Amino acid sequence: MGWYLQVTWDYVRQMLPCAILGAIGFFILRPLRKRELTEKGLRSGTGRESALFLFVIFSAGLAALTLFPAGFWVALSHGHLPQLFSFSSNGFYWTITIFTELLSGGSWRFFMLLGNIVLFMPFGFFPALVGDRPHCWKALATGLSVSAFIEVAQLFVGRSSDVNDIILNTFGALCGFWAYRLLKRLAPRFVSKFKLQATEVAYGREAGN
């Protein structure tokens, strides 16, 4: 267990540089977003802003983990600047081996399969939590498009691309959406705190009325 925790922490450390940049960008753009919402007669509460912040820093961190060469941030922390762009000779791996890997056993394989699912759950959960009219197909489209983009981009940073990752990532986004649906069923009033709220606008009318 300790080894898996160490591996997880190593991944988190690699996510930190871009996550910090994402946090800075979030707060820089926040006044602009607030002004645009005010003009529309809408308000984003503390709960929604917190959820958006978490989603932004996670997405930025995931970019650091997936869109750079393997070991890039570790090498950078040791004062080395590795080559950023290099086309992968491995190409795209099209063979679906998910079930074979599960049946063959091995804790490391299971860890990697589970990780590909868990890493994409936020892409189904947070957009549904803070968005308007969430739907299963939106989570499916988000997970599929983001994962496909990452896998194609990895070809240009010297990493291999795998259709299994796309399948697992997309399933992870769906799991995130189902987690949102479960939360909404169990605590609808809590979920409502993460939605945009109407505010008083000119002439005392509510937005949308």
Side-chain angles (χ1 to χ4, degrees):
M1 178 61 70
W3 184 80
Y4 289 111
L5 291 176
Q6 181 61 47
V7 171
T8 301
W9 172 239
D10 287 340
Y11 284 136
V12 171
R13 285 195 303 171
Q14 293 181 62
M15 297 172 73
L16 285 177
C18 286
I20 293 172
L21 292 177
I24 295 173
F26 177 86
F27 287 111
I28 290 176
L29 295 176
R30 188 180 180 188
L32 177 61
R33 291 190 302 104
K34 184 176 180 180
R35 184 169 67 248
E36 291 179 348
L37 289 175
T38 301
E39 292 174 353
K40 296 177 180 178
L42 298 171
R43 182 176 68 88
S44 182
T46 303
R48 186 174 186 273
E49 288 298 301
S50 299
L52 282 173
F53 175 73
L54 290 175
F55 185 52
V56 167
I57 63 173
F58 173 81
S59 299
L62 186 65
L65 195 62
T66 59
L67 299 179
F68 290 83
F72 177 85
W73 300 105
V74 175
L76 202 62
S77 66
H78 288 87
H80 305 292
L81 182 61
Q83 184 178 356
L84 185 58
F85 298 106
S86 60
F87 191 78
S88 174
S89 58
N90 295 325
F92 203 103
Y93 188 73
W94 287 102
T95 305
I96 299 176
T97 60
I98 297 173
F99 298 108
T100 303
E101 291 183 24
L102 283 174
L103 292 175
S104 64
S107 54
W108 173 248
R109 287 193 181 96
F110 179 77
F111 178 81
M112 294 303 295
L113 292 174
L114 183 62
N116 272 298
I117 294 174
V118 172
L119 274 176
F120 266 69
M121 287 183 66
F123 288 97
F125 180 79
F126 283 109
L129 183 66
V130 304
D132 185 31
R133 291 189 290 274
H135 200 280
C136 182
W137 72 264
K138 294 181 180 179
L140 177 66
T142 301
L144 179 61
S145 58
V146 173
S147 181
F149 172 79
I150 289 174
E151 292 302 314
V152 172
Q154 286 182 338
L155 292 173
F156 298 92
V157 292
R159 301 176 64 166
S160 60
S161 298
D162 195 336
V163 69
N164 295 281
D165 291 347
I166 295 179
I167 295 173
L168 292 168
N169 295 161
T170 304
F171 179 66
L174 288 174
C175 288
F177 176 78
W178 293 331
Y180 158 77
R181 290 297 299 269
L182 178 62
L183 180 62
K184 184 179 180 181
R185 181 178 292 272
L186 296 176
R189 294 184 63 181
F190 175 74
V191 169
S192 66
K193 297 179 180 179
F194 296 90
K195 303 296 183 181
L196 285 171
Q197 302 169 1
T199 59
E200 292 293 326
V201 294
Y203 310 110
R205 295 181 292 115
E206 283 192 347
N209 295 335

